[in-house]
Amino acid sequence: MSLRDALRIPAREITDEAVYRDRRRLVAGLVAAPALALSGCADAEPPPAPAAVRVDPARMRSGFTTAETRTTYQDITHYNNFYEFGTGKADPSKAARTLRTTPWTVAVGGECAKPGRIALDDLIRGPTPEERVYRLRCVEGWSMVIPWLGVPLASVLKRFEPTSKAKFVAFTTLADRKQMPGLGYPALDWPYREGLRMDEAMHPLTLLATGIYGKPLLQQNGAPLRLVVPWKYGFKSIKSIVRIDFVEKRPFTSWNDYASNEYGFFSNVNPAVDHPRWSQKTERRIAGTTTRLFADRIATRPFNGYGDQVASLYAGMDLRKWF
Ligand SMILES: Nc1nc2c(c(=O)[nH]1)N[C@H]1C(S)=C(S)[C@@H](COP(=O)(O)O)O[C@H]1N2
Ligand SMILES: [Mo]
């Protein structure tokens, strides 16, 4: 199946976005004062009734989906972190429109038998595109539930035949000053870089995403190809990837370089380890960013709720250190 065909797959299991939009309007109408909500009174309001979601029980069991209310397409595409297009949450949805995503090639190299520069369509050809409904937990304390479309990273990496020296995988985002106004500011040491240990990269939960809600990724979400690692803080899920390298040593990663005491290399979601400047015990589910920030504070779970699948990767490690 070609990428284009894959992206046309209807999101059959997903409740129509329009339902969510209506619900958001309804909720906005019922709640009187946004200012009150923002000052903390939102916590006292009853949570909105969950919308009906049809879930394939087989996928539930495999942990690849969740019955939690999905974040609206509007919110997923208008409340973003993509510093190459500015540091405001609303910046990327405006500024990233000019990012050219076709043609797109990805260079794969380092410790592997078959390195190469590959057109995106060829890179992800083969594995059947899957829909994965994952929680995304930003280190800043907000979260979303996103129906991704993508392929397991492992299925893509294997064909480059990583050698026994490949202990980590390093990812690099495009860095083009002409297309990315944020690169004019030294917010991070560009290009944005991230990395995973080999076993994390090969874990079945780890996804290379090409779409959301059955539609091709928009630029602000990291089109045309971004990583999704649901048990780690959101900054590990690097966007608009142009390079993948198999490496022997733990690679340079942008946020860890920026402040290593605040953003660890592993950065598994962990409510027991606070960020030096704020608590990680709870999070706000984003719901309705364009009218008002309506979000209930809910408990953050270890490994973002994926502990059954991934905790064994960290056996023997001090999780208080590797938050
Ligand atoms: N290249 C790049 N990737 C990035 C970021 C970024 O600024 N640049 N932000 C990260 C952060 S902090 C988060 S929370 C997620 C946000 O993804 P979303 O905007 O699709 O929700 O992307 C991550 N990937
Ligand atoms: Mo984030």
Side-chain angles (χ1 to χ4, degrees), residues 174-197:
L174 177 75
D176 181 353
R177 281 184 86 110
K178 290 197 291 292
Q179 297 189 68
M180 300 170 139
L183 296 190
Y185 305 91
L188 293 169
D189 184 353
W190 313 114
Y192 194 105
R193 280 158 285 173
E194 256 311 332
L196 296 172
R197 207 172 57 189

Side-chain angles (χ1 to χ4, degrees), residues 76 79-84 136 138 142 144 146 148 173 192 220-221 226 234-235 237-239 255:
I76 296 170
Y79 186 91
N80 300 104
N81 274 335
F82 201 166
Y83 278 20
E84 288 87 335
L136 175 81
C138 175
W142 54 267
M144 298 190 184
I146 304 181
W148 301 102
T173 295
Y192 194 105
Q220 58 263 43
N221 293 111
R226 62 95 55 88
F235 65 84
S237 294
I238 182 173
K239 295 177 168 181
W255 279 104

Side-chain angles (χ1 to χ4, degrees), residues 261-320:
N261 63 321
E262 299 189 354
Y263 310 103
F265 174 81
F266 284 95
S267 280
N268 297 314
V269 174
N270 190 349
V273 178
D274 288 339
H275 185 283
R277 292 181 281 126
W278 58 84
S279 166
Q280 293 292 27
K281 288 186 184 61
T282 63
E283 64 201 54
R284 283 184 186 277
R285 274 289 150 84
I286 297 302
T289 61
T290 50
T291 48
R292 54 189 289 276
L293 188 69
F294 184 90
D296 306 302
R297 220 162 242 300
I298 56 173
T300 289
R301 292 195 271 161
F303 299 107
N304 203 19
Y306 299 96
D308 287 353
Q309 290 117 295
V310 300
S312 62
L313 299 181
Y314 309 100
M317 274 172 65
D318 180 355
L319 293 176
R320 294 199 67 91

Side-chain angles (χ1 to χ4, degrees), residues 123-281:
L123 182 75
I124 61 168
R125 175 171 299 149
T128 308
E130 295 177 33
E131 195 163 74
R132 303 276 185 94
V133 186
Y134 286 160
R135 292 173 289 278
L136 175 81
R137 171 48 160 96
C138 175
V139 73
E140 297 163 343
W142 54 267
S143 62
M144 298 190 184
V145 177
I146 304 181
W148 301 102
L149 184 68
V151 296
L153 176 63
S155 67
V156 170
L157 294 185
K158 275 176 194 151
R159 46 181 264 226
F160 297 95
E161 298 178 15
T163 69
S164 59
K165 279 186 170 171
K167 306 286 189 227
F168 294 87
V169 186
F171 302 86
T172 307
T173 295
L174 177 75
D176 181 353
R177 281 184 86 110
K178 290 197 291 292
Q179 297 189 68
M180 300 170 139
L183 296 190
Y185 305 91
L188 293 169
D189 184 353
W190 313 114
Y192 194 105
R193 280 158 285 173
E194 256 311 332
L196 296 172
R197 207 172 57 189
M198 200 63 180
D199 57 344
E200 298 176 322
M202 293 301 188
H203 192 279
L205 279 173
T206 307
L207 199 70
L208 270 180
T210 56
I212 289 174
Y213 271 113
K215 300 183 185 56
L217 281 179
L218 296 182
Q219 289 96 327
Q220 58 263 43
N221 293 111
L225 187 73
R226 62 95 55 88
L227 186 66
V228 180
V229 197
W231 71 93
K232 293 178 178 285
Y233 288 117
F235 65 84
K236 300 292 293 183
S237 294
I238 182 173
K239 295 177 168 181
S240 305
I241 296 165
V242 292
R243 267 205 82 84
I244 300 177
D245 289 289
F246 298 99
V247 295
E248 197 172 1
K249 300 263 156 55
R250 196 179 108 170
F252 175 100
T253 54
S254 296
W255 279 104
N256 182 252
D257 167 76
Y258 175 81
S260 61
N261 63 321
E262 299 189 354
Y263 310 103
F265 174 81
F266 284 95
S267 280
N268 297 314
V269 174
N270 190 349
V273 178
D274 288 339
H275 185 283
R277 292 181 281 126
W278 58 84
S279 166
Q280 293 292 27
K281 288 186 184 61

